[in-house]
Amino acid sequence: MTAPAEHERLLIIDFGSQVTQLIARRVRESGVYCEVIPYDKSGAHIAAHPPKAIIFSGGPESAHEEGSPRAPQAAFDLGVPILGICYGEMTICQQLGGRVESGHHREFGRAEIDIERDCPLFAGLSARETVWMSHGDKITAIPEGFEVVANSANSPFAAIANETRRIYGVQFHAEVAHTPNGATMLRNFTHGIAGFKGDWTMANFRKEMVAKIREQVGEGRVICGLSGGVDSSVAAVLIHEAIGEQLTCVFVDTGLLRLNEADQVVTLFRNHYNIPLIHVDAAKEFLGALKGVSDPETKRKTIGRVFIETFDREANKIHGASFLAQGTLYPDVIESIGGKSHVIKSHHNVGGLPERMKLKLVEPLRDLFKDEVRALGVELGLPPAFVGRHPFPGPGLGIRIPGEVTPEKVATLQKADAIYLEEIRAAGLYDQIWQAFAVLLPVRTVGVMGDGRTYDEVCALRAVTSTDGMTADFYEFPWAVLGKAATRIINEVRGINRVVYDVTSKPPGTIEWE
């Protein structure tokens, strides 16, 4: 782990909430290093890495039912500050002698809490605060030594505290944006109550990780699968800073990247950073393998298979390599240690290669969230425009061309997509959008150009806003921007005579079309 000293850790015990990662993000944003560990693995983790403070997350279970998740006794015995959120508060009550019941009025959505007494958890806040509730059970009695700090219309124990033991509980979700001052509450806990300095920065992380990479790799050689995306690029630059010429990047150009993207990647890494780079132009192989394939999942698997075969062939030419670098991020780690199934999208994280090539993994970003990776990229000197790029799928344009993928369709889509993104940037809207791209539909429509009849293809434009990609809303463009992009695409891209805009949210749709 590339964390600060053991006593500067905060541990988040996960009881299965859908928003546990948001707690970690809020804590990290205030400069405090934290880790998320499932409740059933947290006892051993506490013994091995005693934290300076603990947060219990929310969860879907009922704390009073037999067999429901419990916090390890070690968490209470350690004597460090504890904050329970929603289910976390309920399990504190249930485990320490209070009472939780079902069958009472449920509380979902915005609510107002009234703060009854001074409490460091609410320092600097108003007597009435807006919060976000999401619970079906109700606390009916709190443990001995606890006092009520705040209540709401349906939660007489909306916040409780045992100041002597420094154990606090809140019935609402402080981590979500719907609790406007939730970040302040969490900061009050981490800084005011637990005494964290808030000095965990990307500069510190960079220095610590460089030392860790050098220690792990020694005199060995590392292969990095460079996709051109933000994660693998940041990982490559960080590893190169640590071990220099011991790193070789393999960039497999699938022919399914955005317009001129392959040239940009090669220029940035080979010329600007002087990182040893093997550029494999495998467009013919990928497009050949996709000939006649139209099923979305078959396309993904085909692209993944060809990628692994190509990468394996090129990497085996690098003598003495014993490590493979991947851009694994913390959400992937949390999901895997939680025992949930995790499907890595085709070839994005070169899945399957470590076992196939008998290599040890180097994952320098495994402690970071996506926004932290971007911050690290800026810290490393990568151009802000590069690290701030929208997400791009592993299979590339192959899943933005429903139906069969052909070289002609790829060339058409690359041009349309480039125009669309160019107009978004020109309007100053790029950073307001989570992801924007064009899709070439397997539909032809009648049009009129120069007094002549056309029968060409349809281009769909997609743009969404999101915080994590799990849910998304379509972006509400100024019509002038959308209209200009559509006009340019029709005028400048031969083969397209109609442009439509996708106004589907996620759910029910997905961000990508395939």
Side-chain angles (χ1 to χ4, degrees):
M1 277 292 178
T2 59
E6 296 291 328
H7 66 281
E8 287 297 321
R9 296 172 182 268
L10 182 141
L11 175 65
I12 299 170
I13 297 180
D14 182 18
F15 290 103
S17 170
Q18 295 296 311
V19 291
T20 298
Q21 289 189 31
L22 282 180
I23 304 174
R25 288 172 65 89
R26 298 291 175 264
V27 170
R28 295 267 187 94
E29 286 166 4
S30 67
V32 174
Y33 179 81
C34 65
E35 296 170 297
V36 178
I37 299 294
Y39 72 93
D40 56 347
K41 296 179 174 65
S42 57
H45 188 85
I46 289 172
H49 309 285
K52 186 174 181 177
I54 301 173
I55 294 178
F56 296 166
S57 83
E61 306 293 336
S62 293
H64 60 88
E65 292 182 354
E66 186 176 350
S68 60
R70 291 283 183 267
Q73 185 59 39
F76 299 105
D77 294 343
L78 198 59
V80 301
I82 296 174
L83 171 63
I85 295 176
C86 199
Y87 181 91
E89 181 193 31
M90 291 184 178
T91 200
I92 286 173
C93 288
Q94 190 69 24
Q95 291 184 236
L96 297 185
R99 188 167 60 252
V100 179
E101 298 177 359
S102 298
H104 294 269
H105 182 78
R106 298 187 300 172
E107 198 170 19
F108 296 97
R110 285 185 175 84
E112 302 291 327
I113 62 167
D114 292 311
I115 300 173
E116 298 183 8
R117 55 182 289 272
D118 288 340
C119 176
L121 195 63
F122 299 110
L125 301 182
S126 303
R128 171 167 287 189
E129 288 288 337
T130 299
V131 299
W132 186 261
M133 295 283 190
S134 182
H135 60 95
D137 296 338
K138 188 173 185 177
I139 297 169
T140 55
I142 58 177
E144 183 179 349
F146 282 78
E147 294 182 301
V148 176
V149 176
N151 63 69
S152 71
N154 294 303
S155 292
F157 306 110
I160 61 173
N162 183 323
E163 300 283 10
T164 302
R165 298 182 65 181
R166 295 186 297 171
I167 301 177
Y168 304 81
V170 294
Q171 189 61 84
F172 52 88
H173 285 276
E175 69 273 28
V176 301
H178 300 302
T179 300
N181 289 319
T184 299
M185 298 173 194
L186 290 172
R187 185 182 177 89
N188 283 340
F189 176 73
T190 57
H191 292 61
I193 295 170
F196 283 98
K197 298 175 183 177
D199 55 0
W200 190 73
T201 66
M202 276 301 118
N204 291 340
F205 178 89
R206 173 185 180 180
K207 181 179 179 181
E208 292 160 359
M209 181 49 73
V210 164
K212 180 176 174 21
I213 293 169
R214 287 172 179 164
E215 180 182 357
Q216 179 187 5
V217 173
E219 299 299 318
R221 295 187 61 81
V222 179
I223 302 171
C224 179
L226 192 64
S227 69
V230 174
D231 301 339
S232 64
S233 298
V234 172
V237 173
L238 181 62
I239 294 169
H240 184 254
E241 180 174 297
I243 60 173
E245 299 294 311
Q246 293 170 244
L247 169 71
T248 299
C249 290
V250 177
F251 172 44
V252 177
D253 182 358
T254 65
L256 301 170
L257 300 176
R258 288 167 286 208
L259 187 66
N260 299 324
E261 187 167 34
D263 292 338
Q264 293 168 3
V265 171
V266 172
T267 299
L268 180 66
F269 286 89
R270 183 177 287 166
N271 300 342
H272 181 72
Y273 281 102
N274 295 316
I275 296 177
L277 175 68
I278 297 173
H279 176 204
V280 187
D281 184 355
K284 288 184 179 180
E285 291 180 60
F286 280 87
L287 291 169
L290 290 170
K291 187 175 182 179
V293 178
S294 58
D295 177 71
E297 189 55 30
T298 304
K299 282 198 287 187
R300 282 184 177 272
K301 289 180 178 178
T302 300
I303 294 169
R305 173 181 57 78
V306 177
F307 180 88
I308 288 178
E309 291 172 354
T310 306
F311 188 95
D312 190 16
R313 182 179 66 245
E314 296 299 324
N316 278 324
K317 298 176 184 177
I318 304 171
H319 300 294
S322 51
F323 295 90
L324 176 69
Q326 289 194 157
T328 307
L329 302 190
Y330 199 43
D332 301 330
V333 177
I334 294 173
E335 204 164 332
S336 63
I337 64 175
K340 302 173 185 176
S341 61
H342 178 59
V343 178
I344 299 176
K345 287 187 176 180
S346 300
H347 93 248
H348 188 65
N349 280 344
V350 290
L353 280 171
E355 296 82 4
R356 181 187 181 114
M357 300 173 65
K358 297 181 175 59
L359 299 177
K360 300 173 184 176
L361 280 177
V362 178
E363 298 174 305
L365 310 181
R366 63 180 283 117
D367 293 333
L368 302 183
F369 290 101
K370 186 73 173 187
D371 56 335
E372 294 172 327
V373 173
R374 296 188 193 280
L376 177 60
V378 173
E379 170 70 27
L380 288 165
L382 280 161
F386 182 87
V387 298
R389 289 190 310 170
H390 293 170
F392 189 67
L397 300 183
I399 59 170
R400 292 179 179 175
I401 302 175
E404 184 182 7
V405 179
T406 67
E408 294 76 21
K409 288 182 179 180
V410 171
T412 298
L413 181 56
Q414 284 177 329
K415 294 172 186 175
D417 187 70
I419 290 171
Y420 181 37
L421 295 179
E422 187 177 303
E423 288 302 322
I424 290 174
R425 289 187 185 278
L429 303 176
Y430 189 84
D431 291 337
Q432 297 178 25
I433 299 170
W434 168 266
Q435 196 169 0
F437 55 90
V439 180
L440 188 64
L441 303 184
V443 177
R444 302 182 76 186
T445 69
V446 173
V448 179
M449 290 185 183
D451 296 326
R453 178 185 184 276
T454 62
Y455 189 53
D456 288 327
E457 293 172 304
V458 179
C459 175
L461 303 181
R462 180 80 158 136
V464 298
T465 57
S466 181
T467 55
D468 53 15
M470 300 302 294
T471 60
D473 291 320
F474 68 89
Y475 182 71
E476 296 186 25
F477 272 110
W479 284 114
V481 176
L482 204 54
K484 185 177 180 183
T487 299
R488 282 194 59 197
I489 290 170
I490 292 171
N491 287 341
E492 299 176 30
V493 183
R494 185 177 296 275
I496 294 175
N497 69 352
R498 191 178 299 269
V499 175
V500 297
Y501 185 58
D502 183 353
V503 293
T504 311
S505 61
K506 177 188 178 181
T510 55
I511 295 178
E512 296 287 348
W513 276 52
E514 289 191 340

